Structure formats: C-alpha cells, structure tokens
Amino acid sequence: MRIASWNINSLRRRQDRLFAWLEATRPDIACLQETKCTDDQFPVLALEAVGYHSAYHGEKSYNGVAILAKAELKDVRPSLCDEVIDPQARVIAAIVSNIRVFSIYAPNGQAVGSPAYEYKLNWYARLRDCLSKEKDEEMVVCGDFNVAPEDIDVYDPDLWHGAIMCSEDERKTFRELCKVGLRDTLRLHHKEGSLFSWWDYQMRAFEKNRGLRIDAILASESLAKKCSASGIDIDMRKGKEPSDHAPVWAEFKVSEK
C-alpha cells in the first residue's frame, strides 16, 4: 500500500497537477493540505472518474484538507475527535482498509511568541490528546506539520535557530505528538540530511536546495513495522507554477481490503 501526502497550495490552481500526479504514482491513499476551496468546489466527480473516493473539509481561500483513496472511506470525521467542526479546516480523518487515516494542516504560527504561535502550540496539544484516544491499532497521520523536527531537517540550522518552525517549543510539541506511538516513516529508511519537502518561492530556494522538511507521514508502531520504503517526490516541486511543497510518501506491506 502506498500512502502519500501533499500540501498542494490551492487545489483549484493546481488541479491538473494533482490528476497528473495521481496517474503517475497511483497512491492507494493521498492526503492533501491547503486545498483552499469550499466543499462545493471540491472535484468529487472528476476524482471518482479516475478511481478515487474522497473526503474533504474546506474553506474559502485558506486551509482545507482532504483524503483520497481507492478503497471506500468510512467513519469520516472533519474535526479533532469529538469536537465540533473547527472553523479552521485543518483536520479530516477516515478509516481506509482498516487504517485510521488523518490528514492534518498544522498552523504556521507566524512568529515565535505571537498569539498565533500560542494557538499553534495549543492546537498541537489538542491533536495529541485526540490521537491518544484513538482505539485503532493501525493509524497514519499525514500532513504539513509546519515544524522541522531536527536540525537535519533544515538547510541552515544556524540561520533558522529559534525561528518559527524550528523553535524548541515547536519541536517539543512535535516530539510529544510522536510519543503517543507514532514513527516518522521517512527516517525509518533515510538518515541523511538535505531531504526537504518545502522551499520558499523566493531567492531560487528550490534550485539551491534551501529548504525545510515540514511534511511527514507518521505511522503507529504496528504499521511502521510494515513500512518498506519512503521518500519525497522532488520532481513535483519543478515545472510551471508548482506548489511550494513536494509530496511525501511511504509504502507498507499490508493487505488491502
């Protein structure tokens, strides 16, 4: 089973790229973030035509998350656990082939110490509490976490030291999230540096590989043991008007039901 996650940075603007990527890679499950479209704008029928069911939670111009899957999506939930639907469309969950799948778009935080930063830390605590209540043995949490977990995930650790997405409190919240029993699938197979998933549009950052790894697929312990490969689709950051993120992916040796 191949599971992928991509911050598409506007589905309506990059719908052609999405369909080309789905055709080329054929993930069994694809989680999207920053779809930036309302639910009535989501291309449900077009996705069905190419073999994908979909669950989505969006809002106009901002945020937005979705799960696409070849198999049927069950128990769809556009919120964190038993909460009412969050006006910021940042989470959607569903069960696919007996795996609980989360697609999440964490807050950016804007600047260390700002109200948005405090909201980010509190949001992470809510996410952790939600995941700790999940009863499903196998779970995967995919998305844009807006945190570079370690210095190895940053092109210039000294430059980014203490900055947003690299501050110690943000990294601590990410570590606490993983303590609920989640493994970073990329690091199961790749220990090296210079593996990034986001590059700024400015200053030829992508061409110079000045990036951060802020997107990830986190798998529960039982599912992580079945992870046979993982990586980043760097080529999707190339070409005309790309997203500033590249898709991340992981493959698992599981029976697809």
Side-chain angles (χ1 to χ4, degrees), residues 82-122:
D82 298 325
E83 294 183 359
V84 296
I85 294 177
D86 195 326
Q88 293 191 20
R90 296 188 176 277
V91 178
I92 191 161
I95 293 177
V96 184
S97 300
N98 294 330
I99 298 172
R100 170 60 81 179
V101 179
F102 280 81
S103 179
I104 69 103
Y105 173 51
N108 173 273
Q110 295 182 357
V112 174
S114 69
Y117 183 79
E118 294 304 318
Y119 176 83
K120 180 178 187 175
L121 299 183
N122 290 333

Side-chain angles (χ1 to χ4, degrees), residues 108 120 146-148 160 163-167 170 198 212 214:
N108 173 273
K120 180 178 187 175
N146 265 316
V147 174
W160 282 83
I164 195 69
M165 296 190 288
C166 300
S167 72
E170 289 169 287
W198 172 84
L212 306 178
I214 57 176

Side-chain angles (χ1 to χ4, degrees), residues 106-107 117-129 131 145-147 149 165 167-180 182 218:
Y117 183 79
E118 294 304 318
Y119 176 83
K120 180 178 187 175
L121 299 183
N122 290 333
W123 186 91
Y124 257 95
R126 289 165 52 209
L127 177 63
R128 183 179 187 275
D129 289 346
L131 298 180
F145 291 85
N146 265 316
V147 174
M165 296 190 288
S167 72
E168 180 51 38
D169 281 345
E170 289 169 287
R171 288 177 168 179
K172 180 180 178 182
T173 60
F174 186 87
R175 292 193 296 270
E176 291 295 320
L177 182 69
C178 291
K179 286 180 181 179
V180 303
L182 297 172
L218 308 180

Side-chain angles (χ1 to χ4, degrees), residues 6 18 23 41 44 47 51 65 91 118 120 134 139 145 147 156 173 179 194 201-202 215 226-227 232 235 239 248 254:
W6 186 17
L18 171 64
E23 181 179 3
Q41 296 170 327
V44 179
L47 286 163
V65 285
V91 178
E118 294 304 318
K120 180 178 187 175
E134 287 295 333
M139 176 172 64
F145 291 85
V147 174
D156 188 338
T173 60
K179 286 180 181 179
S194 298
Y201 286 125
Q202 307 298 319
D215 303 87
K226 303 172 186 177
C227 184
I232 303 173
D235 285 346
V248 297
V254 298

Side-chain angles (χ1 to χ4, degrees), residues 3-57:
I3 300 177
S5 181
W6 186 17
N7 180 322
I8 197 169
N9 191 15
S10 180
L11 175 55
R12 299 179 73 194
R13 187 172 183 178
R14 298 183 173 87
Q15 185 165 311
D16 288 346
R17 275 183 167 263
L18 171 64
F19 281 84
W21 174 66
L22 291 174
E23 181 179 3
T25 62
R26 299 302 298 172
D28 297 281
I29 300 170
C31 295
L32 304 178
Q33 300 85 40
E34 277 203 280
T35 55
K36 296 183 179 179
C37 65
T38 57
D39 288 350
D40 62 348
Q41 296 170 327
F42 199 85
V44 179
L45 296 179
L47 286 163
E48 287 181 354
V50 297
Y52 284 92
H53 303 275
S54 55
Y56 43 90
H57 177 33

